[in-house]
PDB file of all heavy atoms in Angstrom:
ATOM      1  N   LEU B 125      -3.920   2.994 -77.433  1.00 97.00           N
ATOM      2  CA  LEU B 125      -3.338   2.712 -78.747  1.00 97.00           C
ATOM      3  C   LEU B 125      -2.280   3.758 -79.054  1.00 97.00           C
ATOM      4  O   LEU B 125      -2.560   4.959 -79.077  1.00 97.00           O
ATOM      5  CB  LEU B 125      -4.410   2.754 -79.840  1.00 97.00           C
ATOM      6  CG  LEU B 125      -5.559   1.748 -79.757  1.00 97.00           C
ATOM      7  CD1 LEU B 125      -6.478   1.893 -80.967  1.00 97.00           C
ATOM      8  CD2 LEU B 125      -5.024   0.313 -79.668  1.00 97.00           C
ATOM      9  N   VAL B 126      -1.051   3.281 -79.269  1.00 97.00           N
ATOM     10  CA  VAL B 126       0.026   4.186 -79.638  1.00 97.00           C
ATOM     11  C   VAL B 126       0.387   3.916 -81.092  1.00 97.00           C
ATOM     12  O   VAL B 126       0.918   2.845 -81.424  1.00 97.00           O
ATOM     13  CB  VAL B 126       1.251   4.002 -78.718  1.00 97.00           C
ATOM     14  CG1 VAL B 126       2.322   5.028 -79.070  1.00 97.00           C
ATOM     15  CG2 VAL B 126       0.845   4.122 -77.259  1.00 97.00           C
ATOM     16  N   GLY B 127       0.044   4.846 -81.955  1.00 97.00           N
ATOM     17  CA  GLY B 127       0.272   4.673 -83.391  1.00 97.00           C
ATOM     18  C   GLY B 127       1.702   4.988 -83.785  1.00 97.00           C
ATOM     19  O   GLY B 127       2.434   5.659 -83.057  1.00 97.00           O
ATOM     20  N   LEU B 128       2.096   4.465 -84.936  1.00 97.00           N
ATOM     21  CA  LEU B 128       3.450   4.702 -85.436  1.00 97.00           C
ATOM     22  C   LEU B 128       3.395   4.839 -86.960  1.00 97.00           C
ATOM     23  O   LEU B 128       2.749   4.037 -87.638  1.00 97.00           O
ATOM     24  CB  LEU B 128       4.358   3.519 -85.041  1.00 97.00           C
ATOM     25  CG  LEU B 128       5.814   3.572 -85.507  1.00 97.00           C
ATOM     26  CD1 LEU B 128       6.553   4.747 -84.867  1.00 97.00           C
ATOM     27  CD2 LEU B 128       6.527   2.253 -85.161  1.00 97.00           C
ATOM     28  N   SER B 129       4.091   5.851 -87.474  1.00 96.00           N
ATOM     29  CA  SER B 129       4.090   6.073 -88.924  1.00 96.00           C
ATOM     30  C   SER B 129       4.862   4.971 -89.636  1.00 96.00           C
ATOM     31  O   SER B 129       5.640   4.243 -89.018  1.00 96.00           O
ATOM     32  CB  SER B 129       4.725   7.427 -89.234  1.00 96.00           C
ATOM     33  OG  SER B 129       6.088   7.395 -88.850  1.00 96.00           O
ATOM     34  N   CYS B 130       4.657   4.847 -90.934  1.00 96.00           N
ATOM     35  CA  CYS B 130       5.326   3.797 -91.699  1.00 96.00           C
ATOM     36  C   CYS B 130       5.487   4.266 -93.139  1.00 96.00           C
ATOM     37  O   CYS B 130       4.863   5.231 -93.556  1.00 96.00           O
ATOM     38  CB  CYS B 130       4.484   2.521 -91.672  1.00 96.00           C
ATOM     39  SG  CYS B 130       2.721   2.830 -91.927  1.00 96.00           S
ATOM     40  N   MET B 131       6.351   3.570 -93.880  1.00 95.00           N
ATOM     41  CA  MET B 131       6.509   3.829 -95.311  1.00 95.00           C
ATOM     42  C   MET B 131       5.955   2.624 -96.064  1.00 95.00           C
ATOM     43  O   MET B 131       6.316   1.492 -95.746  1.00 95.00           O
ATOM     44  CB  MET B 131       7.985   4.014 -95.663  1.00 95.00           C
ATOM     45  CG  MET B 131       8.465   5.445 -95.554  1.00 95.00           C
ATOM     46  SD  MET B 131       7.637   6.508 -96.759  1.00 95.00           S
ATOM     47  CE  MET B 131       8.071   8.115 -96.089  1.00 95.00           C
ATOM     48  N   PRO B 132       5.072   2.852 -97.048  1.00 95.00           N
ATOM     49  CA  PRO B 132       4.399   1.727 -97.707  1.00 95.00           C
ATOM     50  C   PRO B 132       5.333   0.828 -98.502  1.00 95.00           C
ATOM     51  O   PRO B 132       6.360   1.292 -99.019  1.00 95.00           O
ATOM     52  CB  PRO B 132       3.406   2.422 -98.649  1.00 95.00           C
ATOM     53  CG  PRO B 132       3.953   3.785 -98.857  1.00 95.00           C
ATOM     54  CD  PRO B 132       4.645   4.153 -97.579  1.00 95.00           C
ATOM     55  N   ASP B 133       4.999  -0.458 -98.575  1.00 94.00           N
ATOM     56  CA  ASP B 133       5.717  -1.364 -99.471  1.00 94.00           C
ATOM     57  C   ASP B 133       4.832  -1.641-100.685  1.00 94.00           C
ATOM     58  O   ASP B 133       3.812  -0.985-100.878  1.00 94.00           O
ATOM     59  CB  ASP B 133       6.145  -2.650 -98.737  1.00 94.00           C
ATOM     60  CG  ASP B 133       4.971  -3.570 -98.434  1.00 94.00           C
ATOM     61  OD1 ASP B 133       3.822  -3.225 -98.781  1.00 94.00           O
ATOM     62  OD2 ASP B 133       5.202  -4.646 -97.836  1.00 94.00           O
ATOM     63  N   LYS B 134       5.174  -2.660-101.461  1.00 93.00           N
ATOM     64  CA  LYS B 134       4.470  -2.858-102.732  1.00 93.00           C
ATOM     65  C   LYS B 134       3.069  -3.449-102.574  1.00 93.00           C
ATOM     66  O   LYS B 134       2.348  -3.595-103.559  1.00 93.00           O
ATOM     67  CB  LYS B 134       5.312  -3.734-103.671  1.00 93.00           C
ATOM     68  CG  LYS B 134       5.607  -5.132-103.146  1.00 93.00           C
ATOM     69  CD  LYS B 134       6.426  -5.888-104.191  1.00 93.00           C
ATOM     70  CE  LYS B 134       6.399  -7.369-103.987  1.00 93.00           C
ATOM     71  NZ  LYS B 134       7.320  -8.019-103.172  1.00 93.00           N
ATOM     72  N   HIS B 135       2.668  -3.782-101.353  1.00 93.00           N
ATOM     73  CA  HIS B 135       1.310  -4.309-101.158  1.00 93.00           C
ATOM     74  C   HIS B 135       0.383  -3.329-100.443  1.00 93.00           C
ATOM     75  O   HIS B 135      -0.793  -3.611-100.261  1.00 93.00           O
ATOM     76  CB  HIS B 135       1.367  -5.614-100.359  1.00 93.00           C
ATOM     77  CG  HIS B 135       2.105  -6.710-101.058  1.00 93.00           C
ATOM     78  ND1 HIS B 135       1.721  -7.187-102.290  1.00 93.00           N
ATOM     79  CD2 HIS B 135       3.213  -7.410-100.698  1.00 93.00           C
ATOM     80  CE1 HIS B 135       2.560  -8.142-102.663  1.00 93.00           C
ATOM     81  NE2 HIS B 135       3.471  -8.295-101.722  1.00 93.00           N
ATOM     82  N   CYS B 136       0.925  -2.226 -99.973  1.00 95.00           N
ATOM     83  CA  CYS B 136       0.106  -1.281 -99.194  1.00 95.00           C
ATOM     84  C   CYS B 136      -0.727  -0.402-100.125  1.00 95.00           C
ATOM     85  O   CYS B 136      -0.201   0.164-101.079  1.00 95.00           O
ATOM     86  CB  CYS B 136       0.998  -0.366 -98.366  1.00 95.00           C
ATOM     87  SG  CYS B 136       1.921  -1.211 -97.078  1.00 95.00           S
ATOM     88  N   PHE B 137      -2.032  -0.289 -99.821  1.00 94.00           N
ATOM     89  CA  PHE B 137      -2.862   0.632-100.603  1.00 94.00           C
ATOM     90  C   PHE B 137      -3.866   1.375 -99.732  1.00 94.00           C
ATOM     91  O   PHE B 137      -4.954   1.715-100.165  1.00 94.00           O
ATOM     92  CB  PHE B 137      -3.548  -0.087-101.770  1.00 94.00           C
ATOM     93  CG  PHE B 137      -4.508  -1.177-101.356  1.00 94.00           C
ATOM     94  CD1 PHE B 137      -5.882  -0.955-101.375  1.00 94.00           C
ATOM     95  CD2 PHE B 137      -4.045  -2.420-100.952  1.00 94.00           C
ATOM     96  CE1 PHE B 137      -6.780  -1.948-101.008  1.00 94.00           C
ATOM     97  CE2 PHE B 137      -4.934  -3.423-100.575  1.00 94.00           C
ATOM     98  CZ  PHE B 137      -6.295  -3.185-100.603  1.00 94.00           C
ATOM     99  N   CYS B 138      -3.463   1.670 -98.496  1.00 95.00           N
ATOM    100  CA  CYS B 138      -4.347   2.406 -97.593  1.00 95.00           C
ATOM    101  C   CYS B 138      -4.716   3.762 -98.190  1.00 95.00           C
ATOM    102  O   CYS B 138      -5.802   4.284 -97.946  1.00 95.00           O
ATOM    103  CB  CYS B 138      -3.700   2.575 -96.224  1.00 95.00           C
ATOM    104  SG  CYS B 138      -2.067   3.297 -96.279  1.00 95.00           S
ATOM    105  N   GLN B 139      -3.796   4.300 -99.015  1.00 93.00           N
ATOM    106  CA  GLN B 139      -4.076   5.586 -99.643  1.00 93.00           C
ATOM    107  C   GLN B 139      -5.356   5.524-100.482  1.00 93.00           C
ATOM    108  O   GLN B 139      -6.186   6.428-100.441  1.00 93.00           O
ATOM    109  CB  GLN B 139      -2.900   5.960-100.537  1.00 93.00           C
ATOM    110  CG  GLN B 139      -2.923   7.388-101.006  1.00 93.00           C
ATOM    111  CD  GLN B 139      -1.672   7.723-101.796  1.00 93.00           C
ATOM    112  OE1 GLN B 139      -1.214   6.924-102.620  1.00 93.00           O
ATOM    113  NE2 GLN B 139      -1.107   8.883-101.540  1.00 93.00           N
ATOM    114  N   SER B 140      -5.510   4.418-101.235  1.00 92.00           N
ATOM    115  CA  SER B 140      -6.705   4.287-102.075  1.00 92.00           C
ATOM    116  C   SER B 140      -7.958   4.181-101.224  1.00 92.00           C
ATOM    117  O   SER B 140      -9.031   4.610-101.623  1.00 92.00           O
ATOM    118  CB  SER B 140      -6.601   3.049-102.969  1.00 92.00           C
ATOM    119  OG  SER B 140      -5.455   3.122-103.763  1.00 92.00           O
ATOM    120  N   MET B 141      -7.828   3.559-100.041  1.00 91.00           N
ATOM    121  CA  MET B 141      -9.005   3.375 -99.200  1.00 91.00           C
ATOM    122  C   MET B 141      -9.235   4.578 -98.278  1.00 91.00           C
ATOM    123  O   MET B 141     -10.164   4.578 -97.474  1.00 91.00           O
ATOM    124  CB  MET B 141      -8.872   2.098 -98.349  1.00 91.00           C
ATOM    125  CG  MET B 141      -8.723   0.807 -99.131  1.00 91.00           C
ATOM    126  SD  MET B 141      -9.873   0.594-100.525  1.00 91.00           S
ATOM    127  CE  MET B 141     -11.474   0.497 -99.725  1.00 91.00           C
ATOM    128  N   GLY B 142      -8.362   5.560 -98.350  1.00 91.00           N
ATOM    129  CA  GLY B 142      -8.557   6.768 -97.540  1.00 91.00           C
ATOM    130  C   GLY B 142      -8.223   6.596 -96.074  1.00 91.00           C
ATOM    131  O   GLY B 142      -8.713   7.332 -95.228  1.00 91.00           O
TER     132      GLY B 142
END
Side-chain angles (χ1 to χ4, degrees):
Chain B
L125 298 183
V126 184
L128 179 64
S129 65
C130 44
M131 271 295 166
D133 72 0
K134 61 179 198 271
H135 297 301
C136 294
F137 63 102
C138 53
Q139 193 176 42
S140 302
M141 300 314 295

